[in-house]
Structure formats: C-alpha cells, structure tokens
mmCIF file with all atom_site columns, all heavy atoms in Angstrom:
data_model
loop_
_atom_site.group_PDB
_atom_site.id
_atom_site.type_symbol
_atom_site.label_atom_id
_atom_site.label_alt_id
_atom_site.label_comp_id
_atom_site.label_asym_id
_atom_site.label_entity_id
_atom_site.label_seq_id
_atom_site.pdbx_PDB_ins_code
_atom_site.Cartn_x
_atom_site.Cartn_y
_atom_site.Cartn_z
_atom_site.occupancy
_atom_site.B_iso_or_equiv
_atom_site.pdbx_formal_charge
_atom_site.auth_seq_id
_atom_site.auth_comp_id
_atom_site.auth_asym_id
_atom_site.auth_atom_id
_atom_site.pdbx_PDB_model_num
ATOM 1   N N   . PHE Z 1 1  ? -4.563 -10.379 -2.114  1.00 98.00 ? 1  PHE Z N   1
ATOM 2   C CA  . PHE Z 1 1  ? -5.452 -11.433 -1.615  1.00 98.00 ? 1  PHE Z CA  1
ATOM 3   C C   . PHE Z 1 1  ? -4.735 -12.771 -1.442  1.00 98.00 ? 1  PHE Z C   1
ATOM 4   O O   . PHE Z 1 1  ? -5.320 -13.719 -0.924  1.00 98.00 ? 1  PHE Z O   1
ATOM 5   C CB  . PHE Z 1 1  ? -6.639 -11.621 -2.555  1.00 98.00 ? 1  PHE Z CB  1
ATOM 6   C CG  . PHE Z 1 1  ? -7.740 -10.596 -2.378  1.00 98.00 ? 1  PHE Z CG  1
ATOM 7   C CD1 . PHE Z 1 1  ? -7.556 -9.474  -1.601  1.00 98.00 ? 1  PHE Z CD1 1
ATOM 8   C CD2 . PHE Z 1 1  ? -8.956 -10.758 -3.006  1.00 98.00 ? 1  PHE Z CD2 1
ATOM 9   C CE1 . PHE Z 1 1  ? -8.564 -8.532  -1.436  1.00 98.00 ? 1  PHE Z CE1 1
ATOM 10  C CE2 . PHE Z 1 1  ? -9.984 -9.832  -2.846  1.00 98.00 ? 1  PHE Z CE2 1
ATOM 11  C CZ  . PHE Z 1 1  ? -9.784 -8.723  -2.060  1.00 98.00 ? 1  PHE Z CZ  1
ATOM 12  N N   . GLY Z 1 2  ? -3.476 -12.865 -1.884  1.00 97.00 ? 2  GLY Z N   1
ATOM 13  C CA  . GLY Z 1 2  ? -2.729 -14.106 -1.761  1.00 97.00 ? 2  GLY Z CA  1
ATOM 14  C C   . GLY Z 1 2  ? -1.864 -14.127 -0.511  1.00 97.00 ? 2  GLY Z C   1
ATOM 15  O O   . GLY Z 1 2  ? -2.150 -14.829 0.461   1.00 97.00 ? 2  GLY Z O   1
ATOM 16  N N   . ARG Z 1 3  ? -0.787 -13.341 -0.525  1.00 97.00 ? 3  ARG Z N   1
ATOM 17  C CA  . ARG Z 1 3  ? 0.126  -13.272 0.619   1.00 97.00 ? 3  ARG Z CA  1
ATOM 18  C C   . ARG Z 1 3  ? 0.174  -11.862 1.201   1.00 97.00 ? 3  ARG Z C   1
ATOM 19  O O   . ARG Z 1 3  ? 0.016  -11.668 2.391   1.00 97.00 ? 3  ARG Z O   1
ATOM 20  C CB  . ARG Z 1 3  ? 1.524  -13.739 0.198   1.00 97.00 ? 3  ARG Z CB  1
ATOM 21  C CG  . ARG Z 1 3  ? 1.573  -15.208 -0.213  1.00 97.00 ? 3  ARG Z CG  1
ATOM 22  C CD  . ARG Z 1 3  ? 2.988  -15.634 -0.560  1.00 97.00 ? 3  ARG Z CD  1
ATOM 23  N NE  . ARG Z 1 3  ? 3.448  -15.034 -1.824  1.00 97.00 ? 3  ARG Z NE  1
ATOM 24  C CZ  . ARG Z 1 3  ? 4.691  -15.122 -2.282  1.00 97.00 ? 3  ARG Z CZ  1
ATOM 25  N NH1 . ARG Z 1 3  ? 5.611  -15.777 -1.570  1.00 97.00 ? 3  ARG Z NH1 1
ATOM 26  N NH2 . ARG Z 1 3  ? 5.029  -14.570 -3.446  1.00 97.00 ? 3  ARG Z NH2 1
ATOM 27  N N   . SER Z 1 4  ? 0.407  -10.874 0.348   1.00 98.00 ? 4  SER Z N   1
ATOM 28  C CA  . SER Z 1 4  ? 0.372  -9.458  0.732   1.00 98.00 ? 4  SER Z CA  1
ATOM 29  C C   . SER Z 1 4  ? 0.494  -8.668  -0.562  1.00 98.00 ? 4  SER Z C   1
ATOM 30  O O   . SER Z 1 4  ? 0.791  -9.226  -1.624  1.00 98.00 ? 4  SER Z O   1
ATOM 31  C CB  . SER Z 1 4  ? 1.521  -9.097  1.685   1.00 98.00 ? 4  SER Z CB  1
ATOM 32  O OG  . SER Z 1 4  ? 2.767  -9.127  0.994   1.00 98.00 ? 4  SER Z OG  1
ATOM 33  N N   . LEU Z 1 5  ? 0.284  -7.361  -0.489  1.00 98.00 ? 5  LEU Z N   1
ATOM 34  C CA  . LEU Z 1 5  ? 0.369  -6.523  -1.685  1.00 98.00 ? 5  LEU Z CA  1
ATOM 35  C C   . LEU Z 1 5  ? 1.735  -6.655  -2.351  1.00 98.00 ? 5  LEU Z C   1
ATOM 36  O O   . LEU Z 1 5  ? 1.832  -6.787  -3.576  1.00 98.00 ? 5  LEU Z O   1
ATOM 37  C CB  . LEU Z 1 5  ? 0.086  -5.062  -1.324  1.00 98.00 ? 5  LEU Z CB  1
ATOM 38  C CG  . LEU Z 1 5  ? -1.378 -4.723  -1.031  1.00 98.00 ? 5  LEU Z CG  1
ATOM 39  C CD1 . LEU Z 1 5  ? -1.486 -3.362  -0.350  1.00 98.00 ? 5  LEU Z CD1 1
ATOM 40  C CD2 . LEU Z 1 5  ? -2.208 -4.737  -2.319  1.00 98.00 ? 5  LEU Z CD2 1
ATOM 41  N N   . ASP Z 1 6  ? 2.799  -6.608  -1.556  1.00 98.00 ? 6  ASP Z N   1
ATOM 42  C CA  . ASP Z 1 6  ? 4.144  -6.696  -2.131  1.00 98.00 ? 6  ASP Z CA  1
ATOM 43  C C   . ASP Z 1 6  ? 4.498  -8.116  -2.552  1.00 98.00 ? 6  ASP Z C   1
ATOM 44  O O   . ASP Z 1 6  ? 5.039  -8.332  -3.650  1.00 98.00 ? 6  ASP Z O   1
ATOM 45  C CB  . ASP Z 1 6  ? 5.181  -6.170  -1.138  1.00 98.00 ? 6  ASP Z CB  1
ATOM 46  C CG  . ASP Z 1 6  ? 5.204  -4.653  -1.076  1.00 98.00 ? 6  ASP Z CG  1
ATOM 47  O OD1 . ASP Z 1 6  ? 4.933  -4.006  -2.108  1.00 98.00 ? 6  ASP Z OD1 1
ATOM 48  O OD2 . ASP Z 1 6  ? 5.481  -4.102  0.003   1.00 98.00 ? 6  ASP Z OD2 1
ATOM 49  N N   . GLU Z 1 7  ? 4.205  -9.101  -1.709  1.00 98.00 ? 7  GLU Z N   1
ATOM 50  C CA  . GLU Z 1 7  ? 4.563  -10.483 -2.043  1.00 98.00 ? 7  GLU Z CA  1
ATOM 51  C C   . GLU Z 1 7  ? 3.806  -10.985 -3.273  1.00 98.00 ? 7  GLU Z C   1
ATOM 52  O O   . GLU Z 1 7  ? 4.343  -11.769 -4.056  1.00 98.00 ? 7  GLU Z O   1
ATOM 53  C CB  . GLU Z 1 7  ? 4.292  -11.391 -0.852  1.00 98.00 ? 7  GLU Z CB  1
ATOM 54  C CG  . GLU Z 1 7  ? 5.255  -11.207 0.305   1.00 98.00 ? 7  GLU Z CG  1
ATOM 55  C CD  . GLU Z 1 7  ? 4.859  -12.048 1.511   1.00 98.00 ? 7  GLU Z CD  1
ATOM 56  O OE1 . GLU Z 1 7  ? 3.863  -11.698 2.162   1.00 98.00 ? 7  GLU Z OE1 1
ATOM 57  O OE2 . GLU Z 1 7  ? 5.551  -13.050 1.783   1.00 98.00 ? 7  GLU Z OE2 1
ATOM 58  N N   . ASP Z 1 8  ? 2.583  -10.527 -3.456  1.00 98.00 ? 8  ASP Z N   1
ATOM 59  C CA  . ASP Z 1 8  ? 1.809  -10.954 -4.621  1.00 98.00 ? 8  ASP Z CA  1
ATOM 60  C C   . ASP Z 1 8  ? 2.362  -10.391 -5.921  1.00 98.00 ? 8  ASP Z C   1
ATOM 61  O O   . ASP Z 1 8  ? 2.036  -10.877 -7.004  1.00 98.00 ? 8  ASP Z O   1
ATOM 62  C CB  . ASP Z 1 8  ? 0.340  -10.545 -4.469  1.00 98.00 ? 8  ASP Z CB  1
ATOM 63  C CG  . ASP Z 1 8  ? -0.398 -11.406 -3.456  1.00 98.00 ? 8  ASP Z CG  1
ATOM 64  O OD1 . ASP Z 1 8  ? 0.177  -12.403 -2.987  1.00 98.00 ? 8  ASP Z OD1 1
ATOM 65  O OD2 . ASP Z 1 8  ? -1.557 -11.080 -3.131  1.00 98.00 ? 8  ASP Z OD2 1
ATOM 66  N N   . ALA Z 1 9  ? 3.205  -9.370  -5.821  1.00 98.00 ? 9  ALA Z N   1
ATOM 67  C CA  . ALA Z 1 9  ? 3.830  -8.777  -7.011  1.00 98.00 ? 9  ALA Z CA  1
ATOM 68  C C   . ALA Z 1 9  ? 5.224  -9.343  -7.264  1.00 98.00 ? 9  ALA Z C   1
ATOM 69  O O   . ALA Z 1 9  ? 5.977  -8.796  -8.076  1.00 98.00 ? 9  ALA Z O   1
ATOM 70  C CB  . ALA Z 1 9  ? 3.908  -7.260  -6.854  1.00 98.00 ? 9  ALA Z CB  1
ATOM 71  N N   . PHE Z 1 10 ? 5.567  -10.457 -6.612  1.00 98.00 ? 10 PHE Z N   1
ATOM 72  C CA  . PHE Z 1 10 ? 6.907  -11.022 -6.758  1.00 98.00 ? 10 PHE Z CA  1
ATOM 73  C C   . PHE Z 1 10 ? 7.255  -11.274 -8.222  1.00 98.00 ? 10 PHE Z C   1
ATOM 74  O O   . PHE Z 1 10 ? 8.345  -10.906 -8.692  1.00 98.00 ? 10 PHE Z O   1
ATOM 75  C CB  . PHE Z 1 10 ? 7.033  -12.334 -5.977  1.00 98.00 ? 10 PHE Z CB  1
ATOM 76  C CG  . PHE Z 1 10 ? 8.356  -13.027 -6.195  1.00 98.00 ? 10 PHE Z CG  1
ATOM 77  C CD1 . PHE Z 1 10 ? 9.457  -12.702 -5.431  1.00 98.00 ? 10 PHE Z CD1 1
ATOM 78  C CD2 . PHE Z 1 10 ? 8.503  -13.996 -7.195  1.00 98.00 ? 10 PHE Z CD2 1
ATOM 79  C CE1 . PHE Z 1 10 ? 10.686 -13.312 -5.651  1.00 98.00 ? 10 PHE Z CE1 1
ATOM 80  C CE2 . PHE Z 1 10 ? 9.726  -14.614 -7.420  1.00 98.00 ? 10 PHE Z CE2 1
ATOM 81  C CZ  . PHE Z 1 10 ? 10.822 -14.271 -6.646  1.00 98.00 ? 10 PHE Z CZ  1
ATOM 82  N N   . ALA Z 1 11 ? 6.365  -11.920 -8.969  1.00 98.00 ? 11 ALA Z N   1
ATOM 83  C CA  . ALA Z 1 11 ? 6.656  -12.264 -10.365 1.00 98.00 ? 11 ALA Z CA  1
ATOM 84  C C   . ALA Z 1 11 ? 6.882  -11.013 -11.209 1.00 98.00 ? 11 ALA Z C   1
ATOM 85  O O   . ALA Z 1 11 ? 7.757  -10.987 -12.081 1.00 98.00 ? 11 ALA Z O   1
ATOM 86  C CB  . ALA Z 1 11 ? 5.516  -13.097 -10.947 1.00 98.00 ? 11 ALA Z CB  1
ATOM 87  N N   . VAL Z 1 12 ? 6.092  -9.975  -10.947 1.00 98.00 ? 12 VAL Z N   1
ATOM 88  C CA  . VAL Z 1 12 ? 6.230  -8.715  -11.684 1.00 98.00 ? 12 VAL Z CA  1
ATOM 89  C C   . VAL Z 1 12 ? 7.633  -8.151  -11.484 1.00 98.00 ? 12 VAL Z C   1
ATOM 90  O O   . VAL Z 1 12 ? 8.340  -7.807  -12.446 1.00 98.00 ? 12 VAL Z O   1
ATOM 91  C CB  . VAL Z 1 12 ? 5.175  -7.701  -11.208 1.00 98.00 ? 12 VAL Z CB  1
ATOM 92  C CG1 . VAL Z 1 12 ? 5.351  -6.361  -11.918 1.00 98.00 ? 12 VAL Z CG1 1
ATOM 93  C CG2 . VAL Z 1 12 ? 3.766  -8.241  -11.418 1.00 98.00 ? 12 VAL Z CG2 1
ATOM 94  N N   . ARG Z 1 13 ? 8.044  -8.079  -10.243 1.00 98.00 ? 13 ARG Z N   1
ATOM 95  C CA  . ARG Z 1 13 ? 9.325  -7.452  -9.928  1.00 98.00 ? 13 ARG Z CA  1
ATOM 96  C C   . ARG Z 1 13 ? 10.500 -8.341  -10.316 1.00 98.00 ? 13 ARG Z C   1
ATOM 97  O O   . ARG Z 1 13 ? 11.575 -7.835  -10.685 1.00 98.00 ? 13 ARG Z O   1
ATOM 98  C CB  . ARG Z 1 13 ? 9.335  -7.079  -8.443  1.00 98.00 ? 13 ARG Z CB  1
ATOM 99  C CG  . ARG Z 1 13 ? 8.226  -6.072  -8.146  1.00 98.00 ? 13 ARG Z CG  1
ATOM 100 C CD  . ARG Z 1 13 ? 7.972  -5.798  -6.685  1.00 98.00 ? 13 ARG Z CD  1
ATOM 101 N NE  . ARG Z 1 13 ? 6.742  -5.012  -6.525  1.00 98.00 ? 13 ARG Z NE  1
ATOM 102 C CZ  . ARG Z 1 13 ? 6.288  -4.556  -5.369  1.00 98.00 ? 13 ARG Z CZ  1
ATOM 103 N NH1 . ARG Z 1 13 ? 6.966  -4.807  -4.249  1.00 98.00 ? 13 ARG Z NH1 1
ATOM 104 N NH2 . ARG Z 1 13 ? 5.171  -3.855  -5.321  1.00 98.00 ? 13 ARG Z NH2 1
ATOM 105 N N   . ALA Z 1 14 ? 10.294 -9.653  -10.285 1.00 98.00 ? 14 ALA Z N   1
ATOM 106 C CA  . ALA Z 1 14 ? 11.352 -10.570 -10.732 1.00 98.00 ? 14 ALA Z CA  1
ATOM 107 C C   . ALA Z 1 14 ? 11.570 -10.443 -12.243 1.00 98.00 ? 14 ALA Z C   1
ATOM 108 O O   . ALA Z 1 14 ? 12.706 -10.541 -12.730 1.00 98.00 ? 14 ALA Z O   1
ATOM 109 C CB  . ALA Z 1 14 ? 10.995 -12.004 -10.364 1.00 98.00 ? 14 ALA Z CB  1
ATOM 110 N N   . MET Z 1 15 ? 10.499 -10.240 -12.994 1.00 98.00 ? 15 MET Z N   1
ATOM 111 C CA  . MET Z 1 15 ? 10.639 -10.041 -14.438 1.00 98.00 ? 15 MET Z CA  1
ATOM 112 C C   . MET Z 1 15 ? 11.358 -8.737  -14.744 1.00 98.00 ? 15 MET Z C   1
ATOM 113 O O   . MET Z 1 15 ? 12.172 -8.663  -15.679 1.00 98.00 ? 15 MET Z O   1
ATOM 114 C CB  . MET Z 1 15 ? 9.271  -10.074 -15.113 1.00 98.00 ? 15 MET Z CB  1
ATOM 115 C CG  . MET Z 1 15 ? 8.673  -11.451 -15.205 1.00 98.00 ? 15 MET Z CG  1
ATOM 116 S SD  . MET Z 1 15 ? 7.188  -11.485 -16.248 1.00 98.00 ? 15 MET Z SD  1
ATOM 117 C CE  . MET Z 1 15 ? 6.701  -13.210 -16.021 1.00 98.00 ? 15 MET Z CE  1
ATOM 118 N N   . VAL Z 1 16 ? 11.064 -7.703  -13.968 1.00 98.00 ? 16 VAL Z N   1
ATOM 119 C CA  . VAL Z 1 16 ? 11.785 -6.437  -14.124 1.00 98.00 ? 16 VAL Z CA  1
ATOM 120 C C   . VAL Z 1 16 ? 13.267 -6.650  -13.864 1.00 98.00 ? 16 VAL Z C   1
ATOM 121 O O   . VAL Z 1 16 ? 14.129 -6.214  -14.644 1.00 98.00 ? 16 VAL Z O   1
ATOM 122 C CB  . VAL Z 1 16 ? 11.213 -5.369  -13.166 1.00 98.00 ? 16 VAL Z CB  1
ATOM 123 C CG1 . VAL Z 1 16 ? 12.135 -4.150  -13.121 1.00 98.00 ? 16 VAL Z CG1 1
ATOM 124 C CG2 . VAL Z 1 16 ? 9.818  -4.952  -13.600 1.00 98.00 ? 16 VAL Z CG2 1
ATOM 125 N N   . ASP Z 1 17 ? 13.586 -7.347  -12.773 1.00 98.00 ? 17 ASP Z N   1
ATOM 126 C CA  . ASP Z 1 17 ? 14.989 -7.590  -12.424 1.00 98.00 ? 17 ASP Z CA  1
ATOM 127 C C   . ASP Z 1 17 ? 15.719 -8.385  -13.499 1.00 98.00 ? 17 ASP Z C   1
ATOM 128 O O   . ASP Z 1 17 ? 16.927 -8.212  -13.711 1.00 98.00 ? 17 ASP Z O   1
ATOM 129 C CB  . ASP Z 1 17 ? 15.076 -8.342  -11.089 1.00 98.00 ? 17 ASP Z CB  1
ATOM 130 C CG  . ASP Z 1 17 ? 14.630 -7.496  -9.898  1.00 98.00 ? 17 ASP Z CG  1
ATOM 131 O OD1 . ASP Z 1 17 ? 14.581 -6.256  -10.046 1.00 98.00 ? 17 ASP Z OD1 1
ATOM 132 O OD2 . ASP Z 1 17 ? 14.325 -8.073  -8.842  1.00 98.00 ? 17 ASP Z OD2 1
ATOM 133 N N   . ALA Z 1 18 ? 14.972 -9.272  -14.188 1.00 98.00 ? 18 ALA Z N   1
ATOM 134 C CA  . ALA Z 1 18 ? 15.585 -10.097 -15.231 1.00 98.00 ? 18 ALA Z CA  1
ATOM 135 C C   . ALA Z 1 18 ? 15.723 -9.361  -16.555 1.00 98.00 ? 18 ALA Z C   1
ATOM 136 O O   . ALA Z 1 18 ? 16.340 -9.880  -17.489 1.00 98.00 ? 18 ALA Z O   1
ATOM 137 C CB  . ALA Z 1 18 ? 14.758 -11.366 -15.433 1.00 98.00 ? 18 ALA Z CB  1
ATOM 138 N N   . GLY Z 1 19 ? 15.146 -8.173  -16.646 1.00 98.00 ? 19 GLY Z N   1
ATOM 139 C CA  . GLY Z 1 19 ? 15.278 -7.372  -17.861 1.00 98.00 ? 19 GLY Z CA  1
ATOM 140 C C   . GLY Z 1 19 ? 14.295 -7.718  -18.954 1.00 98.00 ? 19 GLY Z C   1
ATOM 141 O O   . GLY Z 1 19 ? 14.529 -7.396  -20.129 1.00 98.00 ? 19 GLY Z O   1
ATOM 142 N N   . LEU Z 1 20 ? 13.167 -8.345  -18.602 1.00 98.00 ? 20 LEU Z N   1
ATOM 143 C CA  . LEU Z 1 20 ? 12.185 -8.721  -19.611 1.00 98.00 ? 20 LEU Z CA  1
ATOM 144 C C   . LEU Z 1 20 ? 11.348 -7.517  -20.055 1.00 98.00 ? 20 LEU Z C   1
ATOM 145 O O   . LEU Z 1 20 ? 11.123 -6.581  -19.276 1.00 98.00 ? 20 LEU Z O   1
ATOM 146 C CB  . LEU Z 1 20 ? 11.221 -9.780  -19.069 1.00 98.00 ? 20 LEU Z CB  1
ATOM 147 C CG  . LEU Z 1 20 ? 11.594 -11.254 -19.299 1.00 98.00 ? 20 LEU Z CG  1
ATOM 148 C CD1 . LEU Z 1 20 ? 12.829 -11.618 -18.496 1.00 98.00 ? 20 LEU Z CD1 1
ATOM 149 C CD2 . LEU Z 1 20 ? 10.427 -12.162 -18.936 1.00 98.00 ? 20 LEU Z CD2 1
ATOM 150 N N   . THR Z 1 21 ? 10.897 -7.582  -21.291 1.00 98.00 ? 21 THR Z N   1
ATOM 151 C CA  . THR Z 1 21 ? 9.837  -6.703  -21.773 1.00 98.00 ? 21 THR Z CA  1
ATOM 152 C C   . THR Z 1 21 ? 8.527  -7.466  -21.617 1.00 98.00 ? 21 THR Z C   1
ATOM 153 O O   . THR Z 1 21 ? 8.418  -8.617  -22.040 1.00 98.00 ? 21 THR Z O   1
ATOM 154 C CB  . THR Z 1 21 ? 10.048 -6.338  -23.251 1.00 98.00 ? 21 THR Z CB  1
ATOM 155 O OG1 . THR Z 1 21 ? 11.238 -5.545  -23.379 1.00 98.00 ? 21 THR Z OG1 1
ATOM 156 C CG2 . THR Z 1 21 ? 8.852  -5.557  -23.801 1.00 98.00 ? 21 THR Z CG2 1
ATOM 157 N N   . PHE Z 1 22 ? 7.542  -6.849  -20.967 1.00 98.00 ? 22 PHE Z N   1
ATOM 158 C CA  . PHE Z 1 22 ? 6.281  -7.560  -20.744 1.00 98.00 ? 22 PHE Z CA  1
ATOM 159 C C   . PHE Z 1 22 ? 5.143  -6.578  -20.506 1.00 98.00 ? 22 PHE Z C   1
ATOM 160 O O   . PHE Z 1 22 ? 5.366  -5.378  -20.295 1.00 98.00 ? 22 PHE Z O   1
ATOM 161 C CB  . PHE Z 1 22 ? 6.396  -8.543  -19.574 1.00 98.00 ? 22 PHE Z CB  1
ATOM 162 C CG  . PHE Z 1 22 ? 6.667  -7.911  -18.228 1.00 98.00 ? 22 PHE Z CG  1
ATOM 163 C CD1 . PHE Z 1 22 ? 5.633  -7.611  -17.349 1.00 98.00 ? 22 PHE Z CD1 1
ATOM 164 C CD2 . PHE Z 1 22 ? 7.972  -7.638  -17.828 1.00 98.00 ? 22 PHE Z CD2 1
ATOM 165 C CE1 . PHE Z 1 22 ? 5.882  -7.054  -16.113 1.00 98.00 ? 22 PHE Z CE1 1
ATOM 166 C CE2 . PHE Z 1 22 ? 8.236  -7.075  -16.583 1.00 98.00 ? 22 PHE Z CE2 1
ATOM 167 C CZ  . PHE Z 1 22 ? 7.180  -6.782  -15.716 1.00 98.00 ? 22 PHE Z CZ  1
ATOM 168 N N   . LEU Z 1 23 ? 3.915  -7.101  -20.534 1.00 98.00 ? 23 LEU Z N   1
ATOM 169 C CA  . LEU Z 1 23 ? 2.722  -6.323  -20.270 1.00 98.00 ? 23 LEU Z CA  1
ATOM 170 C C   . LEU Z 1 23 ? 2.123  -6.766  -18.942 1.00 98.00 ? 23 LEU Z C   1
ATOM 171 O O   . LEU Z 1 23 ? 2.220  -7.941  -18.577 1.00 98.00 ? 23 LEU Z O   1
ATOM 172 C CB  . LEU Z 1 23 ? 1.672  -6.486  -21.379 1.00 98.00 ? 23 LEU Z CB  1
ATOM 173 C CG  . LEU Z 1 23 ? 1.967  -5.831  -22.735 1.00 98.00 ? 23 LEU Z CG  1
ATOM 174 C CD1 . LEU Z 1 23 ? 2.954  -6.677  -23.541 1.00 98.00 ? 23 LEU Z CD1 1
ATOM 175 C CD2 . LEU Z 1 23 ? 0.672  -5.625  -23.528 1.00 98.00 ? 23 LEU Z CD2 1
ATOM 176 N N   . LEU Z 1 24 ? 1.485  -5.838  -18.261 1.00 98.00 ? 24 LEU Z N   1
ATOM 177 C CA  . LEU Z 1 24 ? 0.839  -6.135  -16.982 1.00 98.00 ? 24 LEU Z CA  1
ATOM 178 C C   . LEU Z 1 24 ? -0.508 -5.424  -16.909 1.00 98.00 ? 24 LEU Z C   1
ATOM 179 O O   . LEU Z 1 24 ? -0.574 -4.193  -17.026 1.00 98.00 ? 24 LEU Z O   1
ATOM 180 C CB  . LEU Z 1 24 ? 1.732  -5.679  -15.822 1.00 98.00 ? 24 LEU Z CB  1
ATOM 181 C CG  . LEU Z 1 24 ? 1.073  -5.653  -14.431 1.00 98.00 ? 24 LEU Z CG  1
ATOM 182 C CD1 . LEU Z 1 24 ? 0.738  -7.065  -13.967 1.00 98.00 ? 24 LEU Z CD1 1
ATOM 183 C CD2 . LEU Z 1 24 ? 1.979  -4.958  -13.416 1.00 98.00 ? 24 LEU Z CD2 1
#
C-alpha cells in the first residue's frame, strides 16, 4: 500500500542483508 509489494519490504530485506536477528 506504500510503494509496491517489494519496495515496502525494503527494511525487512536490508536487515537480512545486515545479518540482524529480528522478528516480523
């Protein structure tokens, strides 16, 4: 609902790339 399905998940995928442990 923001930019697109993939673009709205930018933060999720950036955290994965950075090697963080997190909940979603």
